[in-house]
Amino acid sequence: MTAPPAWQADPYTDALRTGRGPLYLRRPDGWLLPLEVERWCAEPDAADRTVLARSRGTVLDIGCGPGRLVAALAARGRTALGIDVSPEAVARTIRIGGSALRRSVFDPLPREGSWNTALLIDGNVGIGGDPRALLSRVAQVVAPGGLLIAETAPLDVDERVRVRVFDGVAAQGTAFPWARVGAAALLRYGRGAGWSLRGTWTVGTRRFVALGRGSP
């Protein structure tokens, strides 16, 4: 497995260790996407709890970060696994009671083809910068009839960018591809990968889409 160097850069590792930002993804033109480190490192909030309530069966959290959802599922007696390319993210997930592996979603995965639910939360529909390829890969990971719960951008956007991790002082590591995708674009790419809409909902400023593998 080859992890993007950015996710091993000191500012990202330090932010997860301390539970504090500021931290951003920065485009070459200077545009910044805030990374909500404090929220990621806290207990699941009201929006997160809607995701936990809608997930079913075994759960794979793709890009689990510091592991709040995986740990919450484990505390409920659920079978859940987080995967992340960041060593610190994996270590923190394990420390708070979750199970996690240092792995990319594009690597071979445990229980491949049998997960009941996959999660792409906290903007992780951007992983790899190619939503079509990502959704096709997730379709291989979940079981027939399985569920994908994704958090989309709150606006109707569909963009590909190259970004670097930025701590407010200096950008770290090499640039890597990322994507920002709204609900309409996600559904369009999902249909091309064999997914169908199961539902949408919004909590505060956060927007979610549930897709099912196959026809409703």
Side-chain angles (χ1 to χ4, degrees), residues 9 17 24 34 43-44 73 77 88 92 106-108 113-114 124 131 134 147 150 166 168 170 179-180 182 184 208:
R17 284 177 179 161
Y24 310 88
E43 294 292 317
L73 287 164
E88 180 58 30
R92 191 181 188 284
F106 296 103
D107 292 332
S114 66
N124 283 333
L134 177 61
L147 187 69
F166 178 66
R180 293 179 68 232
F208 302 92

Side-chain angles (χ1 to χ4, degrees), residues 91-185:
R92 191 181 188 284
T93 299
I94 293 170
R95 285 198 302 271
I96 65 173
S99 297
L101 294 174
R102 187 182 171 203
R103 205 74 58 88
S104 163
V105 66
F106 296 103
D107 292 332
L109 298 173
R111 306 175 66 135
E112 190 158 321
S114 66
W115 293 97
N116 300 120
T117 302
L119 304 179
L120 287 169
I121 307 300
D122 300 328
N124 283 333
V125 292
I127 289 172
D130 185 344
R132 182 180 288 105
L134 177 61
L135 293 173
S136 295
R137 173 57 180 149
V138 178
Q140 297 173 341
V141 169
V142 302
L147 187 69
L148 166 62
I149 300 176
E151 182 174 356
T152 70
L155 303 176
D156 190 13
V157 297
D158 183 9
E159 66 175 3
R160 311 290 176 273
V161 294
R162 291 191 68 83
V163 295
R164 298 171 69 190
V165 173
F166 178 66
D167 64 2
V169 178
Q172 301 290 329
T174 58
F176 59 95
W178 197 251
R180 293 179 68 232
V181 181

